[in-house]
């Protein structure tokens, strides 16, 4: 189960970007002309979203082709259209004109699910009831056809798109490894609403159903075939122009089933799934184990998986589909109006916004970007090899350079290990594995870098070394008026670095977060002389690498590290005041952060925090207080997880152990916490970040609240169920945030003085996201699922 950090990073937020859901980008599903694989092309009977082609008095092709859209998404127009189309097919059957119905798509992808924009703003579940009833009635028209139905899944079938296919008697999918099937609704805080939780346990068994429904996991078509979700696979790569190979194969398959008795739902389930889903002891075992796993993974902050579990368990036992559908509908409506679903849908829209370069008009235009075919990476260490691997993974030719053969070899070994792991897990076939490795070149020479449009520097975080690298590359002709130098810095000034360059307009920041393979954010840092071309090119490169870029101004700490720096600085003050780090970390994790400030400092490296501290102190003044205890830990070699000792002890494999209490006592902290105000911990940590984020907006370091929340969720793992840092402030109420900051200011000093922007918003009763539906978040844990064992 991947919620919290991975949910925000690779999962929520990466699978939806890669495979789409709801409102998708036009280039993902270009319009195309649909052709029946027959010698004589029948005329289409047009019902809007659906068109019907009668093929040789044998087959009715029911084709999804949403007018004027690049994708098939389920909206208000879908229901009326499918009812009319199926009624027409039934009439043709009565005339003897068809014996089987084939449901497919005229788009490149089958169907990407519901158009979530149509219910995102809904906060009253009674408004959803009529739509769900109509939607399920429309689906029932498909299942009630008097002839067998075959879903021809020619591309991605996600959410409601897969549920349409599940409503058919048979499913045939294309063999391509590019296509994905899945029910990702829990990733948006809701549950499947068109029969997904009802039909999956009866088709693939309760074990597989729970795996894919509760985690929102996608699967390849080969996996779908192996677990019984798909009945057959058909080759989809044409061997010659106009072959129409996939639909031709589907047509052949349909001919083999049109005279067969229609399959009965639930008959394919094996004895083990029958035992686990239908018997009291089996259902007890499944319930205990699943709830234990969900509680650990979600910490009770995400109600949708619990409600989805309840619906799956109910459907697994009953033979009454209508009552099971009603349970599912109630669950969908309840979840759709929760604060968590609104927050997670908002995050999805932030991702969609991020992918559109036109949203960055203040910095550049889309046409300013230069296409990057080859990327150079300077440094083969942890960050350098991570960046090189990720670039190659996203099909970019990559040149990784370091100063020694040994360092290059070590970096190349890391990259090979990553691709070998994907091969072992069958995420790559042998051909793709070889191609990925061939895209990376390791070198100690600058010559290999001369063809690189962008060179990403990932060396040590020392300004003099970075300056020297710029000068050397310019002297050797690698950096010229065309190539771009993008430094992966977490805090150093881009403007200062550019001061030694002959082409300061081509110097830009490109801050990746560690580990590169898990953290989806990239900060694009614009210096005083950075050109629109450089910023646009690096932004587009980040998108091509599957990352979420956010443009920020060159300022101390930029966006994410500035906010995090304030957060960890406040934790440092709590340490000096006698807090127990374990208690503080636990409270912050319970709030929804992936880890507490002391655990985070161990993860980042205490030496890194000590090194960045002076830069933030110089830039932020009294709001960032230097903690001399960090320097003492560094001097003793206690650098955090990487040395096995920091605030906590760590085992051989990096597993966190107990607090390093004796060492901390010798530093003069951990002296007793009887008088420490633990009830203020969350506000001191979180509201200090809110306040700093408001100052960042005032200073135009970030353009808008959307950029701040994108950065905080995907750069720090800030609680996705809260929608982001400033979304949290809106939900709590800006006047309450200001009042709480003033209370802290009175007790701890003017580092908590509310930012002028917050005070202005409180006075004017405005919020950061006025166009979003505002549903107050309950801090209560979701109710336990109502699962009947008998």
């Amino acid at each position: 189960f991947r919620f919290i950090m991975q949910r925000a990073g690779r999962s929520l937020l990466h699978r939806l970007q890669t495979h789409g859901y709801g409102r998708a980008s036009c280039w993902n599903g270009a319009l195309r002309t649909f052709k029946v694989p027959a010698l004589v092309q029948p005329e289409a009977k047009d019902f809007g979203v659906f068109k019907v082609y009668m093929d040789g008095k044998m087959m009715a092709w029911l084709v999804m082709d949403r007018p004027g859209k690049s994708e098939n998404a389920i909206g208000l127009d879908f229901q009326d259209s499918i009812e009319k189309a199926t009624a027409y097919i039934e009439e043709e059957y009565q005339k003897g004109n068809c014996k089987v119905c084939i449901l497919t798509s005229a788009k490149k992808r089958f169907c990407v699910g519901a158009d979530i924009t149509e219910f995102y703003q809904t906060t009253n579940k009674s408004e959803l009831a009529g739509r769900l009833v109509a939607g399920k009635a429309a689906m029932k028209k498909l299942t009630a056809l008097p002839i067998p139905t075959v879903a021809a899944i020619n591309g991605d079938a996600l959410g409601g798109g897969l549920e349409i296919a599940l409503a058919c008697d048979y499913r045939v999918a294309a063999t391509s490894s590019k296509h994905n099937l899945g029910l990702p609704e829990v990733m948006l805080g809701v549950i499947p609403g068109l029969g997904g939780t009802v039909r999956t346990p009866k088709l693939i068994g309760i074990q597989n159903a729970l795996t894919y429904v509760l985690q929102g996991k996608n699967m390849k078509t080969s996996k779908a075939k192996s677990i019984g979700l798909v009945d057959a696979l058909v080759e989809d790569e044409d061997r010659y122009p106009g072959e129409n190979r996939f639909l031709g194969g589907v047509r052949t398959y349909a001919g083999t089933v049109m005279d067969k008795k229609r399959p009965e739902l639930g008959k394919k389930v094996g004895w083990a799934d029958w035992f686990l889903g239908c018997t009291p002891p089996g259902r007890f075992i499944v319930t205990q184990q699943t709830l234990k796993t969900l509680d650990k993974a979600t910490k009770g902050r995400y109600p949708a998986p619990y409600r989805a579990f309840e619906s799956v368990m109910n459907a697994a036992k009953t033979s009454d589909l209508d009552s099971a559908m009603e349970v599912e509908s109630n669950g969908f409506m309840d979840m759709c109006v929760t604060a968590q679903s609104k927050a997670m849908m908002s995050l999805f829209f932030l991702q969609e916004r991020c992918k559109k370069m036109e949203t960055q008009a203040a910095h550049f235009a889309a046409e300013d970007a230069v296409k990057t075919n080859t990327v150079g990476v300077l440094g083969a260490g942890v960050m350098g090899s991570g960046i090189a691997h990720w670039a190659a993974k996203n099909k970019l030719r990559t040149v990784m350079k370091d100063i020694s053969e040994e360092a290059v070899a070590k970096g190349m070994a890391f990259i090979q290990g990553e691709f070998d792991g994907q091969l072992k897990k069958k995420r790559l076939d042998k051909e793709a594995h070889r191609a990925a490795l061939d895209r990376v070149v390791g070198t100690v020479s600058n010559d290999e870098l001369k063809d690189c449009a962008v060179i990403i520097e990932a060396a040590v975080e020392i300004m003099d070394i970075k300056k020297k690298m710029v000068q050397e590359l310019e002297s050797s002709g690698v950096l010229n008026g065309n190539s771009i130098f993008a430094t992966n810095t977490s805090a150093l000034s881009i403007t200062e670095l550019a001061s030694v360059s002959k082409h300061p307009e081509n110097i830009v920041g490109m801050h990746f977060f560690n580990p590169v393979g898990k953290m989806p954010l990239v900060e694009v840092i614009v210096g005083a002389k950075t050109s629109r071309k450089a910023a646009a090119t690096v932004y587009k490169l980040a998108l091509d690498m599957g990352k979420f870029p956010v443009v920020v101004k060159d300022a101390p700490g930029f966006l994410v590290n500035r906010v995090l720096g304030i957060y960890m600085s406040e934790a440092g003050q709590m340490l000096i005041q006698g807090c127990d780090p374990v208690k503080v970390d636990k409270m912050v994790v319970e709030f929804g952060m992936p880890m507490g400030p002391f655990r985070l400092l161990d993860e980042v490296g205490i030496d890194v925090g000590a090194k960045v501290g002076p830069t933030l102190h110089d830039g932020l003044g009294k709001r960032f207080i230097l903690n001399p205890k960090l320097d003492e830990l560094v001097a003793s070699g206690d650098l955090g997880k990487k040395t096995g000792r920091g605030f906590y002890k760590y085992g051989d494999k990096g597993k966190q152990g107990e607090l390093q209490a004796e060492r901390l006592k010798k530093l003069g902290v951990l002296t007793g916490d009887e008088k420490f105000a633990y009830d203020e911990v969350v506000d001191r940590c979180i509201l200090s970040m809110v306040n700093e984020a408001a100052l960042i907006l005032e200073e135009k370091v970030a353009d808008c609240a959307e950029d701040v929340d994108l950065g905080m969720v995907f750069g720090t793992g800030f609680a996705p169920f809260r929608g982001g840092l400033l979304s949290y402030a809106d939900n709590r109420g800006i006047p309450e945030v200001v009042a709480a900051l003033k209370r802290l200011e009175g007790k701890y000093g003017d580092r908590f003085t509310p930012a002028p922007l917050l005070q202005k918003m409180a006075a004017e009763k405005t919020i950061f996201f006025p166009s979003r539906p505002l549903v107050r978040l309950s801090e209560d844990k979701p109710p336990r699922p109502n699962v009947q064992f008998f």
Side-chain angles (χ1 to χ4, degrees):
F1 297 91
R2 288 170 289 182
F3 296 89
I4 310 174
M5 183 62 186
Q6 286 185 342
R7 185 182 177 89
R10 281 190 303 195
S11 217
L12 182 68
L13 299 175
H14 182 63
R15 280 206 307 278
L16 294 178
Q17 180 208 28
T18 305
H19 305 307
Y21 188 82
R23 191 173 59 182
S25 302
C26 290
W27 55 266
N28 271 340
L31 299 168
R32 60 180 183 173
T33 303
F34 179 82
K35 289 186 177 180
V36 172
L39 292 176
V40 178
Q41 282 295 307
E43 286 190 16
K45 186 76 172 178
D46 193 343
F47 296 98
V49 174
F50 287 90
K51 295 178 175 64
V52 178
Y53 299 79
M54 302 307 299
D55 179 7
K57 290 185 177 274
M58 297 290 283
M59 299 176 185
W61 292 83
L62 178 60
V63 182
M64 284 183 285
D65 191 6
R66 200 177 188 194
K69 302 292 184 180
S70 63
E71 302 282 8
N72 287 318
I74 300 173
L76 293 172
D77 51 356
F78 172 91
Q79 296 158 5
D80 180 62
S81 179
I82 195 173
E83 286 191 6
K84 290 178 179 177
T86 51
Y88 173 73
I89 292 172
E90 188 163 355
E91 288 174 11
E92 292 300 305
Y93 163 75
Q94 298 296 340
K95 297 175 185 177
N97 289 336
C98 58
K99 298 177 69 176
V100 65
C101 172
I102 303 172
L103 169 69
T104 192
S105 166
K107 315 293 188 188
K108 285 188 177 180
R109 302 201 289 178
F110 183 74
C111 182
V112 295
D115 185 347
I116 64 173
T117 61
E118 293 187 358
F119 53 81
Y120 169 61
Q121 293 288 346
T122 303
T123 56
N124 185 341
K125 68 179 184 180
S126 63
E127 297 174 18
L128 297 167
R131 291 191 57 185
L132 271 179
V133 169
K136 288 191 171 175
M139 297 286 274
K140 204 167 184 179
K141 293 285 187 180
L142 181 62
T143 61
L145 281 173
I147 53 177
T149 52
V150 178
I153 304 171
N154 62 305
D156 292 347
L158 303 172
L162 181 57
E163 290 176 284
I164 298 170
L166 296 178
C168 293
D169 298 314
Y170 304 95
R171 283 154 295 284
V172 180
T175 55
S176 174
S177 61
K178 296 177 183 178
H179 303 328
N180 292 275
L181 280 60
L183 296 168
E185 284 88 347
V186 293
M187 313 296 283
L188 294 171
V190 293
I191 72 171
L194 292 175
T197 65
V198 175
R199 290 191 171 95
T200 51
K202 297 180 182 300
L203 285 169
I204 59 176
I206 196 163
Q207 296 174 85
N208 284 320
L210 290 176
T211 296
Y212 287 98
V213 172
L214 301 196
Q215 296 184 48
K217 285 179 64 174
N218 288 341
M219 69 185 92
K220 299 299 180 184
T221 56
S222 57
K223 180 65 176 179
K225 172 67 167 64
S226 71
I227 65 174
L229 192 71
V230 163
D231 298 287
L233 297 178
V234 173
E235 292 288 344
D236 60 333
E237 188 172 338
D238 286 355
R239 292 162 292 190
Y240 52 85
E243 180 184 15
N244 210 356
R245 189 178 186 185
F246 174 68
L247 293 183
V250 171
R251 192 172 189 260
T252 300
Y253 178 86
T256 68
V257 301
M258 63 184 178
D259 292 321
K260 284 185 178 181
K261 182 182 177 181
R262 300 172 74 174
E264 188 177 339
L265 193 62
K267 288 295 184 181
K268 293 196 300 183
V269 173
W271 73 267
D273 282 298
W274 171 83
F275 172 77
L276 293 171
C278 299
T279 69
R283 290 172 66 81
F284 178 80
I285 292 168
V286 170
T287 299
Q288 293 298 105
Q289 291 300 315
T290 303
L291 292 183
K292 181 180 177 182
T293 303
L294 281 178
D295 290 343
K296 182 179 179 181
T298 71
K299 297 179 173 58
R301 292 300 194 175
Y302 298 88
Y306 294 89
R307 200 60 181 268
F309 173 68
E310 180 180 302
S311 185
V312 170
M313 291 298 289
N314 176 71
K317 186 182 178 185
T318 184
S319 58
D320 184 348
L321 284 186
D322 288 339
S323 68
M325 291 288 187
E326 185 177 354
V327 169
E328 180 187 75
S329 294
N330 289 334
F332 177 86
M333 289 187 291
D334 287 344
M335 293 300 98
C336 195
V337 297
T338 61
Q340 290 91 335
S341 74
K342 302 308 180 188
M344 295 174 78
M345 289 179 194
S346 297
L347 289 178
F348 170 69
F349 292 133
L350 288 187
Q351 294 171 83
E352 291 297 294
R353 174 184 178 275
C354 168
K355 290 187 287 183
K356 297 172 183 175
M357 293 187 68
E358 56 267 28
T359 62
Q360 305 301 318
H363 303 287
F364 49 74
E367 54 267 26
D368 292 327
V370 175
K371 184 170 178 58
T372 305
N373 295 314
T374 304
V375 178
V377 179
L378 299 180
V382 172
M383 288 302 294
S385 59
I387 293 168
H389 160 253
W390 205 252
K393 184 177 185 291
N394 285 277
K395 296 182 170 53
L396 292 166
R397 183 176 181 272
T398 308
V399 178
M400 182 175 66
K401 188 239 176 185
D402 211 309
I403 57 175
S404 73
E405 295 282 2
E406 182 182 0
V408 171
K410 188 175 180 181
M412 293 296 288
F414 167 80
I415 293 169
Q416 173 145 4
E418 291 296 298
F419 286 128
D420 287 351
Q422 286 188 289
L423 178 66
K424 186 176 180 180
K425 294 177 181 177
K426 297 182 179 180
R427 293 176 182 169
L428 288 177
D429 58 29
K430 289 183 179 180
E431 183 179 353
H433 174 260
R434 184 71 262 162
L437 289 173
D438 288 346
R439 284 192 289 268
V440 189
V441 175
T443 184
V444 294
S445 169
N446 285 336
D447 292 341
E448 296 276 3
L449 298 169
K450 290 184 178 179
D451 293 331
C452 298
V454 176
I455 296 172
I456 303 171
E457 172 271 311
V460 294
E461 191 78 333
I462 299 174
M463 178 62 81
D464 288 343
I465 292 177
K466 292 179 185 288
K467 287 180 177 179
K468 185 177 179 182
M469 294 174 76
V470 170
Q471 292 170 323
E472 287 181 353
L473 290 173
E474 288 184 341
S475 297
S476 64
V478 172
L479 284 181
N480 49 50
N482 296 317
S483 53
I484 293 167
F485 184 89
T487 178
N488 175 47
T489 179
S490 59
L492 299 181
S493 169
I494 306 304
T495 302
E496 182 182 346
L497 177 61
S499 68
V500 302
S501 174
K502 297 175 184 177
H503 305 284
E505 71 279 5
N506 288 342
I507 307 297
V508 65
M510 191 177 189
H511 179 208
F512 291 83
F513 290 76
N514 190 29
V516 176
K518 292 184 179 179
M519 302 297 291
L521 187 74
V522 169
E523 287 179 317
V524 177
I525 306 129
V526 178
K529 295 185 177 181
T530 301
S531 68
R532 291 165 63 89
K533 169 192 164 184
T537 299
V538 167
Y539 191 99
K540 180 63 167 60
L541 175 58
L543 289 176
D544 290 344
M545 291 176 68
K547 297 295 185 180
F548 300 141
V550 57
V551 179
V552 295
K553 189 172 76 173
D554 184 17
F558 315 130
L559 167 58
V560 173
N561 281 349
R562 175 170 167 179
V563 175
L564 270 187
I566 292 295
Y567 164 71
M568 290 195 278
S569 171
E570 192 57 35
Q573 293 307 297
M574 288 190 251
L575 185 70
I576 292 170
Q577 292 162 11
C579 79
D580 180 346
V582 175
K583 291 181 182 178
V584 170
D585 279 354
K586 182 180 179 183
M587 294 181 74
V588 173
V589 168
E590 287 177 350
F591 170 82
M593 296 295 283
M595 59 183 70
F598 298 104
R599 176 68 179 83
L600 177 61
L601 198 52
D602 273 359
E603 190 74 26
V604 171
I606 295 172
D607 55 329
V608 175
K611 188 179 293 183
V612 172
T615 301
L616 292 175
H617 177 69
D618 292 344
L620 306 181
K622 57 190 177 183
R623 294 198 310 281
F624 186 93
I625 304 173
L626 292 173
N627 188 344
K629 302 300 180 184
L630 296 187
D631 294 323
E632 293 181 44
L633 283 170
V634 172
S636 66
D638 296 340
L639 307 184
K641 184 178 177 180
K642 58 189 173 185
T643 59
R645 301 185 319 278
F647 288 101
Y648 296 93
K649 298 175 184 177
Y650 296 87
D652 293 338
K653 295 183 178 180
K655 185 176 180 180
Q656 179 187 334
E658 62 184 10
L659 190 73
Q660 202 181 189
E662 294 304 317
R663 180 74 187 90
L664 294 176
K665 286 178 181 177
K666 288 179 181 179
L667 290 178
V669 297
L670 210 65
T671 54
D673 64 344
E674 294 83 4
K675 296 182 180 180
F676 186 81
Y678 283 104
D679 59 328
E680 296 173 341
V681 163
V682 169
D683 275 359
R684 288 178 68 177
C685 286
I686 306 303
L687 294 188
S688 62
M689 292 197 289
V690 171
N691 207 36
E692 198 62 30
L695 292 169
I696 283 171
L697 290 176
E698 286 181 23
E699 297 166 17
K700 303 297 183 184
V701 174
D703 285 344
C704 56
E706 286 83 356
D707 286 346
V708 171
D709 276 6
L710 185 82
M712 291 306 295
V713 171
F714 296 110
T716 74
F718 187 91
F721 68 88
R722 296 186 185 276
L725 181 64
L726 298 182
S727 179
Y728 163 73
D730 278 357
N731 200 279
R732 181 165 174 175
I734 303 300
E736 167 55 26
V737 168
V738 170
L741 283 168
K742 287 182 176 179
R743 288 194 295 271
L744 294 172
E745 178 189 19
K747 187 171 182 179
Y748 297 108
D750 53 10
R751 68 180 183 274
F752 284 105
T753 301
L757 175 61
L758 288 176
Q759 297 194 58
K760 181 174 183 289
M761 292 173 69
E764 296 175 355
K765 293 183 171 57
T766 57
I767 58 178
F768 288 106
F769 300 102
S771 63
R772 289 184 182 177
L774 185 59
V775 178
R776 297 296 179 189
L777 177 68
S778 170
E779 298 293 341
D780 295 335
K781 300 295 174 68
R784 306 307 278 175
N786 180 22
V787 177
Q788 302 295 322
F789 298 130
F790 295 93

